[in-house]
Amino acid sequence: MKKYVYLFKEANASMRNLLGGKGANLAEMTNLGMPVPQGFTVSTEACTKYYDDGKVISDEIINQIYAALTETEKVVGKKFGDSKNPFLVSVRSGARASMPGMMDTILNLGLNDQAVEGLAKLTSNPRFAYDSYRRFIQMFSDVVMEIPKSNFEAILEAKKEEKNVELDTDLNADDLREIVAGYKKKYLELKGEEFPQDPKTQLIDAVKAVFRSWDNPRANTYRRLNNIPYEWGTAVNVQSMVFGNMGDDSGTGVAFTRDPSTGEKKLYGEYLFNAQGEDVVAGIRTPKPISELEKDNPAIYQQFVEISNKLEAHYRDMQDMEFTIEKGKLYMLQTRNGKRTAQAALKIAISLVEEGLLTEKEALLKVEPKQLDALLHPQFDIESLKNATVIATGLNASPGAATGRAVFTAERAQELAKKGEPVILVRQETSPEDIEGMAIAKGVLTSRGGMTSHAAVVARGMGTCCVAGAGSVKVYEEKKYFEVSGKKYHEGDFISLDGSTGRIYGEQVKTVDATVSGDFAKLMAWADKYRSLKVRTNADNPRDAKVAYEFGAEGIGLCRTEHMFFEADRIPAMREMIVSKTLEERQNALAKLLPMQKKDFIGLYEAMQGHPVTIRYLDPPLHEFLPTEAEDIEALAKEMHLSYEELKATVESLHETNPMLGHRGVRLSITYPEIAVMQTTAVIEAAIDVNKRGGKVIPEIMIPLVGELKELKFVKDIVVKTADEVIKKAGVDLKYLVGTMIEIPRAALLADEIAQEAEFFSFGTNDLTQMTFGFSRDDAGKFLSDYYTKKIFENDPFAHVDEKGVGKLMDMAVKLGKEVRPDIKLGICGEHGGDPDSVEFCHKIGLSYVSCSPFRVPIARLAAAQANIKNPRS
Amino acid sequence: MKKYVYLFKEANASMRNLLGGKGANLAEMTNLGMPVPQGFTVSTEACTKYYDDGKVISDEIINQIYAALTETEKVVGKKFGDSKNPFLVSVRSGARASMPGMMDTILNLGLNDQAVEGLAKLTSNPRFAYDSYRRFIQMFSDVVMEIPKSNFEAILEAKKEEKNVELDTDLNADDLREIVAGYKKKYLELKGEEFPQDPKTQLIDAVKAVFRSWDNPRANTYRRLNNIPYEWGTAVNVQSMVFGNMGDDSGTGVAFTRDPSTGEKKLYGEYLFNAQGEDVVAGIRTPKPISELEKDNPAIYQQFVEISNKLEAHYRDMQDMEFTIEKGKLYMLQTRNGKRTAQAALKIAISLVEEGLLTEKEALLKVEPKQLDALLHPQFDIESLKNATVIATGLNASPGAATGRAVFTAERAQELAKKGEPVILVRQETSPEDIEGMAIAKGVLTSRGGMTSHAAVVARGMGTCCVAGAGSVKVYEEKKYFEVSGKKYHEGDFISLDGSTGRIYGEQVKTVDATVSGDFAKLMAWADKYRSLKVRTNADNPRDAKVAYEFGAEGIGLCRTEHMFFEADRIPAMREMIVSKTLEERQNALAKLLPMQKKDFIGLYEAMQGHPVTIRYLDPPLHEFLPTEAEDIEALAKEMHLSYEELKATVESLHETNPMLGHRGVRLSITYPEIAVMQTTAVIEAAIDVNKRGGKVIPEIMIPLVGELKELKFVKDIVVKTADEVIKKAGVDLKYLVGTMIEIPRAALLADEIAQEAEFFSFGTNDLTQMTFGFSRDDAGKFLSDYYTKKIFENDPFAHVDEKGVGKLMDMAVKLGKEVRPDIKLGICGEHGGDPDSVEFCHKIGLSYVSCSPFRVPIARLAAAQANIKNPRS
């Protein structure tokens, strides 16, 4: 018989895949002898089985849960539903990867009409008991039975009105007893049956509800954004309740072993006396800093410090812990590796090495490559900042600077962002429903909640700037404005946030690019030491190339020459080329482009200081350079001294049904070899020019969209002939390479043939993904959301390389290419080149380098190091 | 040292690849002791080397040619340039596959100022000698030196005018001597050097010219149309000249051992006294039937009959022979397997089996599958024919009936045909330049030339109807009309041809489908006996299905259900479905389509009489069902009781950048599962209906455009659920299969996963080709001509499966699919399913069946048999 349920004392931290992070760590803390309220974990396999069985928990699993329950009752010395000493539990999700707030939790489970009396007697606090019971009924009804909370809130509000009080806490035990009666009546009315009195029924229903919540829309979105497979499922932790709300000798809190914003080594957190954990996390009451616990209760504080030190040393990483104090006794409810800002991640990784807890390699694995992005985010321009007025200050919840238009709902954030507007999401507090709006916003501002509130935790995870708990900001979400010191800021008004200081500005403040700190440089140096993949950049102009070089790019992996042609001073010559009727006319137009291209290439070579520069020849279909609307054609015709009809005819003749699959890439050079001649002349003349001044340029000429050896051969012959003539004429020596993109499935399939002519391959995984899947990125948006909803795709193949399909072609191409040309250079220049998962894949299949946008270069460097540490190249 | 040059006596028929068809057969005839003018063959490898070396004939090859020349001079007892007994040769191309008229020929090579005198003395005929010399100068200048013939024709015409004569034959030896002098002067004037007097120089230049002609545009076009690789190259045959124009005891002719139109066993051909071979083939003089040779020269006729019988028995196939009689002595210049009509091909194949010359399998290999097409071509509708008037009669050069608009140039034929107009190409005579126009015309009419004229031979090869040599038709190509009995027919006027009777009609005559003869049925029965591939048809309606069933289809491999929706009575409901805003509206619209689909499926099942029927679910993007022009939208909106804006918004929301890569195929069923529900209901209800009436339908449901297992699983779950409910409700048993198309590269790469759910695969090679190559068929037209011209592609990947790329994916998918599901059904339903080469490939990789359009079914049956005879399945 398969084991689906584990007591905490039966498990340990290595069982994370089976028991989820929370469950495995509760077990580990139990084994470490720490004060953990005992309980058990229902495994992720039970969740998977629940779905496989058609959303049913099998009798086998139910029996194992009951057995574990009995065992736990013995350990804690309480019994489910007992009128004297009732056993109450929390039921919480716990997946392999942390998904904060995405799934459901039920507290105080086990309360019924009998147990509530037991709890009242045991605590000598009937008010507390009935308050717990009414909370439980509401939570259970909401989470398990899907009865909207508003039904119960109305009853509560009615009672408060009746008693003419403002706060829940002003209600006494009798009031609450009546409220419970009202809740139960409402439940009966809505569900047609009594509120379940059997705690075992409550438990199984709650477990089922947690399993079900694995599949709720916000969890699915979160998983997709964080690349967490649906197959993993969630575990469920059933843990005996401890109460932080049993009076002033009780309390609850969360703390980090180091500052999650800066990485500073000091206990960092918050706590509230006489409160349940949810009160801290939800950000409804603003809690006290953890340091004050030392004054409030030195013994507990000391115990907690010892535990936290022990946990950090044990896990060799910064810990994020939850604790509860029940009548003067400390309980640990959770520990996990803490989420942190990029800056903190760097500092912690480096400190842990310095403290001798980690090796450099281990430290490199502790930093999430994507997080580095935050360090590279814009900061405010100092000059602009001088004139800006701070209208309020909140908590510096997630660093970086942001400016944008205020919006008050996640939906509106998405609408405006889609139109290209920068937005700042302003909320009283955020909830998991806001996650997509937060992802798309430049910054997040909340008026409530602390450093561990939902807004703060999620924004840090995303690397989005966030100012939280700005109490002086009154947010009116429904009315779409916020007010500070009597001044209203409406939807669409510009505001700015500094997530590193917590300052809020009521205007647009210019932002500038970030500079990278000493920790950053140190970690990057380690990364460079341990990686075997080179990292290049995709840059089309000297400006981007310089930025990338500063970020450590070791060359240009992709220069899209067409981007140069779209610029205002070049497009007239480009258009002239396109409308040319004869070879001669075309050559004349190209001759105008030549000096501009040459100048660009000189700039690129110089920016790269001797590192290789890969130049891709003209790729897009020619109609992209011409207008399509009648009036634009009219205007351009006038400008070009053509008749409207003439230009219109050219535009029409260039129209394509499927432009992605049209006359572009190498196909252009086959029809118009003179384009390749011009581009080669520019590439080679520029290199000669730079080398004459001491440069060491070896240009890499890249032919796009090749699917057949003869295509490459045809263009390569032109390139070589032209290049050799230019070199001969200049009377110099110059090496250059000619290679191709592998972006057509056929090129991957026939890579051995193509390697006969190609001196390098660069995987163009954008197009390769489109053609391998048979959908275009422009059109897939319409149906991909259905694909996510229906779980056909779990993540976006344009974000992470589809290893099974596209990756299989890549792997095949690598092997075939090396058979023919063992020293072939192999790179990737699709957007996947900056995605850490894809970088790891590229490392595994044996590429020589990845190339990505300048701001992704540090991410790729770290990802490459991690890949090599995890899978050392032999 | 590699041998590049072979004397005829050194070689044999098996050396066709090295020496070309003509060379190998000349060698074989030499070995058989037949009277062949001796000579030697320069190999195809020499041609390849010529191109590899940059269009240069290496010294090594030149020396081998000279050595063979010396050897041949000894054999024939003549010497190059000899003033007494000069050695003259013909220099002719000869590729591995016959390419009639596509490459260059030079006759009388070896003549110079000395040799012409020798020839005059030797033949006692100075007129003949100088006429030969002037012809040689003109031909050499034209073919080798690329001097336009008109330069020389002007000199000839001037002399005729001076002498006041009409015919060349009215010029005497002195006149011709002067003309030669004029020609040489012209040559010197144009080339700046004397006409080459050294026969060895002439020879090498001529060989070079033949090699060069391998690469001329018409040869390239012919190869592409006939799928002949460029790499093969041509051999060059250097053969001692014999003269059919040495007086009335000389002559020349061509003959077939059987009638190439009907297959009847009788010597069939034509000859001309006192003429050179070119005169017969070019169709300038109308020759006598070969039977008259028996009267004219019984001894020679008898000798020729014996030789032809011997050759047919030796080659075990109908032979096409060229001969020359020089002063009463017969010489064989060529033999080859004769081109024949489809009808003749059948009759000959069957007769040769009956005569004991061939086995059934060998006979099957003698028939070109594509030729069968001609048998299936339309014939005239008998009723329409009754009222039609024959305006003239020509030779019945290639069978079939055709009706179309008269055009007078190949270019115009192509222009009109592209607009969808049927055309008849009308010419005085055709030449190789006309080949593309002939390929696209419904029929060809010429006023000159015989059964072996260019027009006749080429049209038969293409299966295009042709009436040749219609002397009463006066064709004025430049003025774009022809005249018969004083009536003019202009470009664009309808005419009709009967290629089987030679009758010409001056009007449009309705055509009807062909019925197939007894020989056809016999050959097909043999084909069925020896093939292992099944042959199905692509049919979307009962009418096509019935035709295909009569042609031997063993099921439907592809029913495109959307074709049903485009019909006038269905498209309103389809559009209603598309503009639906709710699931309910959509279901209502689908409910209207259900009975129509069901009725169609009943018709298909009945037509197939128990053979499997594969139904593909809705495939095209929905916007294809809606109009795009404003006025059409307006009209439809009115019809649908929608506002213009509403409908316009729907149309716009469905617009796609790359519709081929858009929201179509399985993606539609994922967004709108109700479509799959409706289609499944129709498929299953129809099957139950037919089976209740004694049918044995096992429907095969095919999901298109799958690229991922979960896509298929999602839709299959819906299909199975729906089908099982319908079956249960009907209280019957019904088997059905659910499978998928393999048309997305990713599906082929992950075929093992997909086979977990797919009970069959059907290769959709149209889309698979588009996506593997990364170009769409709609757009590739614009650049594929450049690809042919620049020899990047030699043939159309949409006509023949690209075995290296697309085929590699197919082979991979077959192997992966079988690993998981050893009994998986494997088919192809792209247009390649009717292409003989592709059928052979499908056989080799182990498919279960091919599916093609109804008229291609017999072709596929024969191709499948040939494939299995050549590569028997173990």
Side-chain angles (χ1 to χ4, degrees), chain B residues 82-131:
Chain B
D82 196 272
S83 62
K84 281 176 195 144
N85 195 11
F87 182 42
L88 303 185
V89 296
S90 64
V91 180
R92 290 178 211 255
S93 63
R96 213 196 277 197
S98 167
M99 293 171 60
M102 293 300 133
M103 288 179 288
D104 289 332
T105 291
I106 299 113
L107 300 178
N108 298 328
L109 188 138
L111 280 175
N112 59 13
D113 295 351
Q114 267 189 299
V116 69
E117 290 298 333
L119 187 63
K121 274 177 228 157
L122 195 71
T123 58
S124 312
N125 191 343
R127 194 203 168 278
F128 164 74
Y130 276 93
D131 189 42

Side-chain angles (χ1 to χ4, degrees), chain A residues 703-717:
Chain A
I703 310 302
L705 220 71
V706 164
E708 155 66 41
L709 170 63
K710 288 180 193 166
E711 288 179 313
L712 177 59
K713 174 104 174 63
F714 181 89
V715 180
K716 188 182 171 187
D717 286 350

Side-chain angles (χ1 to χ4, degrees), chain A residues 655 657-658 660-661 667 670-671 711 746 749 753 772 774 776 779 782 786-787 790 802 804 808, chain B residues 655 657-658 660-661 667 670-671 711 746 749 753 772 774 776 779 782 786-787 790 802 804 808:
Chain A
H655 170 78
T657 313
N658 295 287
M660 254 236 15
L661 305 177
R667 298 161 195 166
I670 286 170
T671 307
E711 288 179 313
R746 195 173 188 273
L749 292 164
E753 284 197 3
T772 304
S776 95
D779 301 307
K782 284 187 194 150
D786 292 324
Y787 271 55
K790 296 176 182 177
D802 158 50
K804 286 208 292 193
K808 188 169 184 176
Chain B
H655 170 78
T657 313
N658 296 287
M660 252 234 20
L661 304 176
R667 299 161 195 167
I670 285 171
T671 306
E711 289 179 313
R746 196 172 188 272
L749 291 164
E753 286 198 1
T772 305
S776 94
D779 302 306
K782 284 187 195 149
D786 292 323
Y787 271 55
K790 294 175 182 177
D802 158 50
K804 286 207 293 192
K808 189 169 184 176

Side-chain angles (χ1 to χ4, degrees), chain B residues 750-780:
Chain B
L750 298 179
D752 44 353
E753 286 198 1
I754 288 170
Q756 290 167 24
E757 292 290 338
E759 293 170 285
F760 62 87
F761 286 167
S762 179
F763 288 96
T765 46
N766 297 353
D767 274 6
L768 192 59
T769 299
Q770 298 190 85
M771 295 185 196
T772 305
F773 276 93
F775 50 66
S776 94
R777 213 168 162 174
D778 293 329
D779 302 306

Side-chain angles (χ1 to χ4, degrees), chain A residues 493-538:
Chain A
D493 291 348
F494 263 102
I495 59 169
S496 300
L497 304 179
D498 187 336
S500 311
T501 62
R503 290 191 187 113
I504 305 160
Y505 304 85
E507 65 208 86
Q508 191 169 15
V509 183
K510 227 173 108 185
T511 57
V512 293
D513 296 344
T515 53
V516 290
S517 77
D519 283 345
F520 181 88
K522 193 163 197 171
L523 193 89
M524 284 293 111
W526 290 349
D528 293 347
K529 194 156 118 191
Y530 296 111
R531 68 188 160 93
S532 70
L533 265 181
K534 296 267 177 198
V535 177
R536 298 194 190 182
T537 192
N538 298 351

Side-chain angles (χ1 to χ4, degrees), chain B residues 322-378:
Chain B
E322 288 180 25
F323 62 93
T324 285
I325 304 162
E326 186 186 74
K327 296 193 164 181
K329 181 165 166 29
L330 176 70
Y331 289 98
M332 295 301 295
L333 298 187
Q334 158 141 307
T335 192
R336 59 184 172 191
N337 293 339
K339 297 215 181 269
R340 62 204 78 176
T341 64
Q343 207 184 336
L346 290 185
K347 185 163 193 67
I348 291 168
I350 288 167
S351 303
L352 289 173
V353 173
E354 288 168 354
E355 292 162 22
L357 274 173
L358 294 182
T359 65
E360 286 171 4
K361 285 185 185 181
E362 286 167 334
L364 282 165
L365 294 175
K366 297 284 183 194
V367 182
E368 183 66 51
K370 273 188 195 157
Q371 271 201 312
L372 296 181
D373 202 29
L375 294 178
L376 311 167
H377 268 172

